[in-house]
Amino acid sequence: EFNYKDSLINYRILYPKDFDESKTYPLTLFLHGIGERGDDNELQLKYVDKVFLNPENYHNYRSIVIFPQAPLNDNWSSRVITDNPIRQVFPENENPTNSLKMVIKLMDSLSNENYVDNKRIYLSGLSNGAMGSFELLKNRPNMFASAVLICGGGNPSWAKEFAKTTPVWIAHGSDDDVVFPELSINMVQAILKQGGSPKFTLYEKVNHGSWFNVFSDPNYLKWMFSHTKN
């Protein structure tokens, strides 16, 4: 667990094979969805251990991977649930939730470690975790070499902070009725408007589980790790 000013956040850390503190490694942050919150420090691995612990990926994409877990009384996103047509609203200047603040502090701390390659810090998240990831990009636009954001959303005004600094791949299911695809489409449009060049995938006839499509795509980690900060 990570402590900051009397707050705690649980997280799991996956080290590459034969990890050696005298070498440098990429650092990857993964933010889980709303259903994986809790205090067991396990649920957040529900889907992603298949990706990062898949022997081939573990061998080919050697990275330190961080899996924090938000508690049940909090989440990664400052979004507000409303009864408007797209249901979730993202206030432009809201402070991050306590859990996201803790993740920001954790990443600030880890990115200063000698064994972390500062030019190769990566971000990914699904659903509520992708929402938190958009917010994280707003708050740390120069931290990440790339980000893969799956079935999330954010405030389009945030795009000006990271559109030109962080390559993003945004993915969504076209039939998603939990987090509407418009939320991702709005972010893609905003990034384009701000001079960014996002990768965008809309999976036809897929509802809210589009992370399964992304996780089974060999380009997921390949694309993410292909980027290095200048």
Side-chain angles (χ1 to χ4, degrees):
E1 59 188 26
F2 176 70
N3 261 313
Y4 181 76
K5 290 188 176 171
D6 298 331
S7 289
L8 283 178
I9 192 157
N10 284 325
Y11 69 98
R12 286 293 184 97
I13 187 161
L14 174 67
Y15 289 102
K17 190 168 187 281
D18 304 324
F19 174 72
D20 178 348
E21 276 198 17
S22 67
K23 296 179 178 170
T24 60
Y25 300 89
L27 176 66
T28 305
L29 170 65
F30 191 91
L31 295 182
H32 63 69
I34 205 87
E36 291 83 69
R37 294 174 302 164
D39 57 10
D40 65 349
N41 205 12
E42 258 180 46
L43 257 181
Q44 76 268 36
L45 306 173
K46 183 171 180 179
Y47 304 110
V48 288
D49 59 348
K50 291 187 204 60
V51 181
F52 294 101
L53 278 176
N54 164 314
E56 199 177 327
N57 290 339
Y58 186 67
H59 176 74
N60 290 338
Y61 305 104
R62 295 164 66 84
S63 171
I64 300 160
V65 192
I66 306 295
F67 304 99
Q69 184 180 38
L72 276 171
N73 62 356
D74 199 17
N75 75 100
W76 303 126
S77 169
S78 65
R79 55 125 175 76
V80 179
I81 308 289
T82 69
D83 53 7
N84 79 356
I86 54 172
R87 201 181 295 144
Q88 323 215 29
V89 173
F90 301 85
E92 184 175 349
N93 297 312
E94 191 63 49
N95 288 325
T97 63
N98 189 53
S99 294
L100 192 67
K101 274 185 196 146
M102 293 295 291
V103 166
I104 292 170
K105 295 295 176 194
L106 173 63
M107 291 302 289
D108 286 348
S109 163
L110 289 169
S111 63
N112 285 321
E113 295 287 356
N114 292 334
Y115 52 77
V116 168
D117 180 350
N118 264 311
K119 295 185 184 308
R120 302 196 66 205
I121 300 179
Y122 302 105
L123 172 64
S124 190
L126 66 88
S127 194
N128 185 265
M131 296 173 188
S133 296
F134 276 120
E135 213 163 324
L136 192 47
L137 289 175
K138 176 189 79 161
N139 284 282
R140 289 291 181 273
N142 298 303
M143 177 176 277
F144 299 100
S146 68
V148 181
L149 310 169
I150 309 161
C151 61
N155 188 309
S157 70
W158 300 343
K160 64 181 177 292
E161 304 298 336
F162 62 84
K164 290 183 174 172
T165 55
T166 312
V168 297
W169 177 1
I170 293 172
H172 218 112
S174 60
D175 296 4
D176 196 330
D177 59 7
V178 178
V179 179
F180 294 116
E182 287 87 339
L183 291 169
S184 276
I185 292 166
N186 291 345
M187 293 307 285
V188 170
Q189 286 176 328
I191 292 165
L192 289 169
K193 198 169 152 188
Q194 294 297 333
S197 183
K199 177 178 167 71
F200 179 43
T201 307
L202 194 62
Y203 298 101
E204 77 272 20
K205 296 187 169 51
V206 170
N207 199 312
H208 192 50
S210 53
W211 54 87
F212 293 114
N213 301 72
V214 176
F215 293 163
S216 63
D217 185 339
N219 286 313
Y220 171 45
L221 296 184
K222 185 178 179 185
W223 181 90
M224 191 160 73
F225 283 96
S226 71
H227 296 275
T228 304
K229 284 200 82 64
N230 298 330

